[in-house]
Amino acid sequence: MIDSRAFHALSCGVYVVGAACEGLQAGCVVNTVTQVTATPAQLSVAVNKENVTMGVIRKAGFFSVAVLDESTPMELIGTFGFHSSSDTDKFAEWKSETDAQGMPCLVEHAVARFCVKVKQELDLGTHVLFVGEVLEAQAVGVQAPMTYAYYHQVKGGKTPPKASSYEPSSKETNKAENFQVKEAKSMSEEKRAEQVGWRCTVCGYIEWVDELPDDFKCPICGVGKEMFERVTRPV
Ligand code: FE
């Protein structure tokens, strides 16, 4: 028996990993950074093979880690978690620095930063696990680091499909939220005691309007109107 709730009991943080090689800067949000040894200090990170970042880390032989704080805006998660480094220079959109190895490292909303030299990699099927030695480590922020549970429960965050912990059911309605998904209806059929909104099925963002314009794009992840589902909540 596999009870998916058991996986929810595993604690982890939210991180942006980055790397650069041959003029391409790549980075993505992960929840898979772990310290695996102290002497020497080594970190591991699992990155989806479909992420541009995986190939860039492999070529570069180094990666940066920024530990995100609890005040990290969803727009930052949207940039690094729901866009591709192949067509978006993610580090240009948020305050970043280049470390001594030439790797881009997010500064904005980072409570700690690491520069890691890859020592080993392990093929995990959908993901590659990189294990590397920490060359630099800095505690740079005073805010609390954001846990993955905080991201989901307080920030209302969703899990990108390429994440290690993605479950298809996580795209469905969160029962803890005080609204319901409904089939689209004309407004005349609606009771006005409900507020109508549209929820992005990719990242969870909700726009509380009766109708979305045809050219509407999600402000968090950038997908179009067709990826939104109708929701309501009591007013
Ligand atoms: Fe979205």
Side-chain angles (χ1 to χ4, degrees):
M1 178 184 109
I2 300 285
D3 182 347
S4 62
R5 292 172 302 174
F7 296 99
H8 300 166
L10 298 171
S11 297
C12 52
V14 184
Y15 314 94
V16 166
V17 294
C21 189
E22 298 170 355
L24 177 61
Q25 293 197 133
C28 61
V29 174
V30 297
N31 67 339
T32 54
V33 175
T34 305
Q35 181 178 2
V36 287
T37 61
T39 311
Q42 294 188 104
L43 300 185
S44 69
V45 62
V47 184
N48 192 298
K49 289 178 180 175
E50 293 181 9
N51 276 345
V52 172
T53 306
M54 192 287 292
V56 177
I57 292 175
R58 180 178 270 168
K59 278 189 186 171
F62 297 92
F63 61 89
S64 69
V65 175
V67 181
L68 298 182
D69 68 34
E70 288 183 346
S71 70
T72 301
M74 291 302 284
E75 288 81 357
L76 190 152
I77 303 285
T79 300
F80 284 94
F82 294 94
H83 288 265
S84 172
S85 294
S86 62
D87 54 29
T88 305
D89 185 359
K90 302 176 180 182
F91 290 97
E93 296 185 17
W94 300 90
K95 188 180 175 196
S96 304
E97 290 179 357
T98 302
D99 67 22
Q101 307 304 322
M103 300 299 110
C105 189
L106 182 71
V107 173
E108 207 163 351
H109 294 287
V111 292
R113 287 151 49 190
F114 298 88
C115 175
V116 183
K117 178 178 175 56
V118 175
K119 292 291 189 178
Q120 299 182 58
E121 67 170 67
L122 182 63
D123 190 326
L124 303 178
T126 56
H127 289 64
V128 171
L129 182 74
F130 295 102
V131 180
E133 187 172 345
V134 175
L135 302 181
E136 294 175 50
Q138 281 182 288
V140 288
V142 293
Q143 295 246 7
M146 180 159 61
T147 64
Y148 205 48
Y150 185 94
Y151 168 67
H152 281 285
Q153 292 162 13
V154 180
K155 311 283 277 189
K158 302 298 173 187
T159 303
K162 292 178 192 170
S164 297
S165 54
Y166 176 70
E167 298 165 30
S169 60
S170 67
K171 287 172 70 178
E172 295 168 5
T173 306
N174 181 344
K175 292 186 175 59
E177 292 170 337
N178 187 28
F179 56 77
Q180 292 182 302
V181 177
K182 289 203 168 180
E183 295 298 318
K185 290 179 183 175
S186 69
M187 284 308 299
S188 60
E189 296 174 62
E190 282 302 320
K191 294 173 189 168
R192 299 309 300 186
E194 292 180 331
Q195 186 178 12
V196 176
W198 296 87
R199 183 172 65 175
C200 176
T201 57
V202 176
C203 74
Y205 172 81
I206 297 176
E207 182 86 354
W208 291 106
V209 293
D210 289 347
E211 296 294 339
L212 293 176
D214 287 343
D215 61 352
F216 187 81
K217 293 268 188 289
C218 177
I220 305 295
C221 71
V223 300
K225 174 185 178 181
E226 68 282 358
M227 295 302 289
F228 280 73
E229 64 188 3
R230 194 159 181 271
V231 295
T232 60
R233 66 180 176 188
V235 291

